[in-house]
Amino acid sequence: MNWMKRYWWKLLGVGILMFVLTFGLLSKVPTLNILNETIRNLFYHVPMWFTMYALFAYSVYHSILFLRKLNMDNDLHARSAAEVGFIFGLMGIATGSLWAKYTWGTFWEPRDPKLNGAAIALLIYLAYFVLRSAVEDETKRARLAAVYNIFAFPMQLAVTYIMPKFMISLHPGSSDTVNFKQYEMDSQLRLVFYPAVLGWILLGFWIFTLVYRIQKLKIISENEED
Amino acid sequence: MKKIKILLFAMLAYVASNAQGEAVEMANTFRQSGKIYVVITVIAIIFTGIISYLIYIDRKISNLENKQK
């Protein structure tokens, strides 16, 4: 049972997600105007952002470690986690945009702080990858990227989570939007929502380990060629 | 008299708005017809497929790592 020791958290994540994906369509949800059945997007769209936060947090943690010890392995961790986190962010934007089309009648509401914040956050991380690809020297690249990442993480958290809380937003869950004032998480929603967040985070980290290991193999094989 | 009229109107409006709230459209018949389980099974199959592929990739990388050691 040696493989169980290595795989248990991956299996746990898959099991949880199987529950979330199926029960998410069956569970009882609050009946609210405008939202209707799309309230179930809470189980699918919202965990994308939480997984993105988790991976970005892991990424910035390794950036800090890198600056302390200057170990290139930390740089590889930070890079891979940011990459997977970015993909989850793209999923969040795509699903949110589709929902907006059917709820607000437009794929993008340009005046909404939550939407613009999400777009800015992804652009901040796009700049992180551009910065990495622009620097040739490995150590220099790792150092610059680590410093930039430490700025990027609180910035993306501010524009996607904190700032929209103080502004008027159409997005469900925002403070003073008339139609969603009644939108509160009841126990039925939590029963699926919390596992959904945990399950997607576990799956996100699994994908991260794959990206990291492939990059590691690539570096080793490149060194052998030299 | 005018105040009572306004009050009555307000009460009526409140009741009307509440009644509207109860009639929120949900996919009740969709579920009753039973075919929602088909969709759920489809989702489960797709998810199983993707996870199997992920496991396959994971093992492939493990093999490569073992070769390099």
Side-chain angles (χ1 to χ4, degrees), chain A residues 6-7 10 14 17-18 21-22 25-26 29-33 36-37 40 203 206 210 213-214 217 220-221, chain B residues 20-21 24-27 31 36-37 39-40 43-44 47-48 51 54-55 57-59 61-62 64-65 68:
Chain A
R6 278 180 57 199
Y7 278 91
K10 297 171 184 174
V14 170
L17 281 181
M18 197 53 119
L21 289 176
T22 52
L25 292 175
L26 292 171
V29 291
T31 49
L32 299 178
N33 260 319
N36 306 82
E37 289 286 350
R40 291 180 197 279
L203 190 75
W206 183 5
L210 297 181
R213 285 158 70 193
I214 290 171
L217 285 170
I220 293 168
S221 69
Chain B
Q20 227 171 24
V24 173
E25 198 179 327
M26 298 303 262
R31 234 173 297 286
I36 187 73
Y37 296 103
V39 184
I40 288 167
I43 292 171
F47 186 63
T48 315
I51 293 302
L54 216 54
I55 292 169
I57 294 170
D58 199 318
R59 293 178 71 174
I61 296 171
S62 294
L64 279 172
E65 283 169 343
Q68 232 153 22

